[in-house]
């Protein structure tokens, strides 16, 4: 058997603080709560609290991986991505069923998914894209109590022995780099529409 040593990944995979409140980044730990138990609700509340307390908007949103805010939904990085550029489009409303989303929220979810597609194609030049919802734990939802749409670029051969047999993902880009690139691409996309 061959061994592939990836000591730089050890710090990443062991950095999850199991005592921390879900969705609250270490740099946003001053948020007093209350802990909703929801990664997405806690994320937004901790970012908003940090900004209200004087933290720079970019710093707070970067800490949480919050890429873009809409009126009804937001886009954030997946903290454990399958590929570089793996993001989620999430309604602010804490709902677990697509059928419960108000029409305006559902429309914005799709509008942001379309923007995400343009950004991912522009930044990563993928061979294809996956967009999807996993509704309920049995359907594969890691966060079953708050609906969210995954969006991720794909390339031929990106499902290889490392993922299938080694249960390891090799990601060539750090999350902080992904956040900066995507944040800039969304800003550019919005500025292009205004001109």
């Amino acid at each position: 058997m061959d061994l592939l040593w990836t000591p730089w990944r050890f710090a990443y995979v062991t950095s999850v603080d199991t005592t921390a409140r879900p969705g609250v980044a270490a740099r946003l730990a001053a948020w007093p709560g209350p802990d909703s138990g929801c990664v997405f609700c806690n994320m937004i509340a901790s970012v908003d609290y940090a900004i209200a307390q004087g933290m720079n908007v970019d710093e707070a949103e970067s800490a949480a991986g919050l890429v873009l805010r809409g009126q009804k939904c937001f886009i954030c990085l997946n903290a454990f991505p399958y590929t570089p550029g793996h993001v989620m489009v999430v309604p602010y409303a804490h709902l677990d069923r697509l059928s419960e989303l108000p029409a305006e929220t559902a429309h914005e979810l799709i509008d942001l998914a379309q923007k995400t597609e343009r950004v991912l194609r522009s930044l990563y030049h993928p061979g294809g894209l996956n967009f999807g919802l996993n509704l309920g734990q049995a359907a594969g939802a890691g966060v079953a109590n708050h609906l969210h749409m995954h969006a991720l670029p794909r390339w031929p051969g990106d499902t290889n022995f490392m993922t299938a047999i080694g249960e390891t993902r090799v990601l060539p880009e750090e999350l902080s780099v992904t956040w900066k690139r995507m944040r800039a691409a969304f800003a550019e996309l919005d500025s292009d529409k205004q001109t």
Side-chain angles (χ1 to χ4, degrees), residues 8-141:
W8 62 90
R9 294 280 298 154
F10 183 76
Y12 175 69
V13 298
T14 60
S15 67
V16 176
D17 183 354
T18 57
T19 62
R21 297 167 289 178
V24 180
R27 292 189 329 220
L28 306 176
W31 174 60
D35 181 357
S36 69
C38 172
V39 64
F40 301 121
C41 293
N42 282 353
M43 174 194 299
I44 291 299
S46 64
V47 169
D48 288 346
Y49 177 81
I51 293 167
Q53 298 303 307
M55 185 181 280
N56 174 282
V57 172
D58 283 346
E59 183 182 350
E61 291 183 352
S62 171
L66 181 56
V67 177
L68 180 76
R69 290 184 188 237
Q71 293 181 0
K72 307 281 183 186
C73 301
F74 62 94
I75 299 171
C76 65
L77 298 178
N78 187 318
F80 302 99
Y82 287 102
T83 65
H86 183 172
V87 295
M88 296 171 289
V89 183
V90 187
Y92 293 108
H94 183 84
L95 300 169
D96 64 353
R97 296 171 190 244
L98 189 58
S99 60
E100 293 178 357
L101 275 185
E104 308 82 39
T105 304
H107 290 159
E108 187 174 277
L109 184 102
I110 295 302
D111 289 344
L112 290 178
Q114 290 175 321
K115 280 185 171 186
T116 299
E117 178 187 358
R118 288 192 288 278
V119 164
L120 291 175
R121 286 189 188 282
S122 167
L123 283 179
Y124 293 101
H125 310 287
L129 296 154
N130 287 132
F131 281 80
L133 301 161
N134 299 319
L135 302 177
Q137 188 174 11

Side-chain angles (χ1 to χ4, degrees), residues 161-169:
F161 82 97
M162 289 295 291
T163 301
I165 296 172
E167 296 184 11
T168 301
R169 292 188 188 98

Side-chain angles (χ1 to χ4, degrees), residues 142-181:
V143 179
N145 63 352
H146 196 135
L147 177 145
H148 54 284
M149 177 187 286
H150 290 265
L152 55 150
R154 302 303 300 262
W155 297 268
D158 70 3
T159 304
N160 56 33
F161 82 97
M162 289 295 291
T163 301
I165 296 172
E167 296 184 11
T168 301
R169 292 188 188 98
V170 178
L171 301 168
E173 183 174 76
E174 291 184 12
L175 288 176
S176 61
V177 173
T178 303
W179 182 86
K180 287 176 189 167
R181 293 182 71 210

